[in-house]
Amino acid sequence: MSAVILSVKDLTVSFDGFKAVSNLDLDVEEDELRVVIGPNGAGKTTLLDMICGKTKPTSGSIRFKDLELTKLNEYNIVRAGVGRKFQTPSTYEDLVVFENLQISYPDARGVVGSLFYRRDAKVVEKINEVAQRIYLRDHLHTKAGRLSHGQKQWLEIGMLLMQDPKLLLLDEPVAGMTDEETARTAELFLTLKGKHSLMVVEHDMSFIRTISEIVTVLCDGAVLAQGTLDEVQADERVIEVYLGR
């Protein structure tokens, strides 16, 4: 049995008296690909926000390996090995793919630092490796602003991979993608599983079926059900609040 890399215990966050997440417990193992689903307002994005430090919980614990993440800021959570991709792609539109990836290399020190950063063979090799993995090897000199929506999503995932995170948090990564881009993203995620731990928030059931082993269903800020996709789809509670008949 694999070791637990992420352990969420009794996690709660309130906004003006409303509990967006309530006493939530969740464990993710090393190299696991976990999918999180649920109706709008279930607390899925808020959970990711708390794991990456964007939102501080009211109470509870988030342990990543041996670190208590609730005590760290966003920058130090990234340095610890947690990467977060938001729903909307966030890339440097006026820079080419190569430069976007270079900026994300840990020693490049951001946009300004990368302008003066020496591109040694190790960095170039890493950029080429990541670009190949995210299907952008032939677009290294294309400005990010000229990429399709799906390609921008891949580029942002690549920017995370440049940092070699141990845990990837991915919020609706295939939203707005074509069917072909969605299929290729599923292939990408399956190649990442085993090298990284992934937590994927998604609604696309066909995509989820392709990539998932364990699916966690959230509702009203707590875990409603957990199991294989077939198991949660057959759960009457999940049918009632999320899937319908």
Side-chain angles (χ1 to χ4, degrees), residues 62-191:
I62 306 170
R63 292 198 68 82
F64 172 67
K65 298 190 289 186
D66 296 326
L67 297 172
E68 177 58 52
L69 298 188
T70 61
K71 297 180 180 179
L72 301 179
N73 60 28
E74 289 183 74
Y75 172 76
N76 285 315
I77 290 174
V78 170
R79 291 194 65 185
V82 178
R84 168 76 184 276
K85 187 203 172 306
F86 292 85
Q87 292 179 9
T88 304
S90 178
T91 59
Y92 297 96
E93 300 277 280
D94 289 331
L95 298 181
V96 299
V97 168
F98 185 100
E99 293 165 331
N100 272 270
L101 295 174
Q102 181 186 1
I103 284 167
S104 305
Y105 191 75
D107 292 335
R109 299 179 179 85
V111 179
V112 175
S114 70
L115 297 176
F116 303 99
Y117 186 73
R118 186 169 62 88
R119 298 176 182 175
D120 61 24
K122 179 182 177 182
V123 178
V124 174
E125 181 181 3
K126 179 72 171 179
I127 290 170
N128 286 326
E129 173 194 327
V130 169
Q132 183 72 34
R133 176 166 285 182
I134 61 173
Y135 314 120
L136 295 178
R137 183 66 181 82
D138 294 334
H139 298 277
L140 279 173
H141 302 293
T142 301
K143 285 190 175 183
R146 297 180 64 86
L147 299 175
S148 71
H149 172 75
Q151 289 172 325
K152 289 178 183 177
Q153 298 275 45
W154 294 337
L155 176 56
E156 187 172 13
I157 293 169
M159 292 167 73
L160 292 179
L161 294 178
M162 288 295 297
Q163 302 164 29
D164 199 24
K166 301 303 180 187
L167 173 65
L168 281 162
L169 308 174
L170 301 144
D171 200 352
E172 298 190 24
V174 299
M177 284 190 179
T178 65
D179 290 345
E180 181 183 354
E181 289 171 339
T182 298
R184 297 187 78 184
T185 302
E187 293 173 6
L188 169 61
F189 283 12
L190 290 173
T191 68

Side-chain angles (χ1 to χ4, degrees), residues 151-245:
Q151 289 172 325
K152 289 178 183 177
Q153 298 275 45
W154 294 337
L155 176 56
E156 187 172 13
I157 293 169
M159 292 167 73
L160 292 179
L161 294 178
M162 288 295 297
Q163 302 164 29
D164 199 24
K166 301 303 180 187
L167 173 65
L168 281 162
L169 308 174
L170 301 144
D171 200 352
E172 298 190 24
V174 299
M177 284 190 179
T178 65
D179 290 345
E180 181 183 354
E181 289 171 339
T182 298
R184 297 187 78 184
T185 302
E187 293 173 6
L188 169 61
F189 283 12
L190 290 173
T191 68
L192 296 178
K193 183 175 68 172
K195 301 179 180 69
H196 309 264
S197 301
L198 294 88
M199 182 181 287
V200 181
V201 169
E202 224 355 293
H203 292 287
D204 186 320
M205 285 299 166
S206 177
F207 176 75
I208 291 169
R209 181 167 295 282
T210 303
I211 68 169
S212 68
E213 292 178 343
I214 301 297
V215 177
T216 299
V217 185
L218 299 189
C219 183
D220 297 329
V223 174
L224 176 68
Q226 186 166 286
T228 66
L229 182 59
D230 286 337
E231 288 170 343
V232 300
Q233 284 183 317
D235 190 306
E236 290 294 332
R237 299 167 300 168
V238 178
I239 294 169
E240 180 181 353
V241 303
Y242 183 50
L243 299 175
R245 290 284 183 183

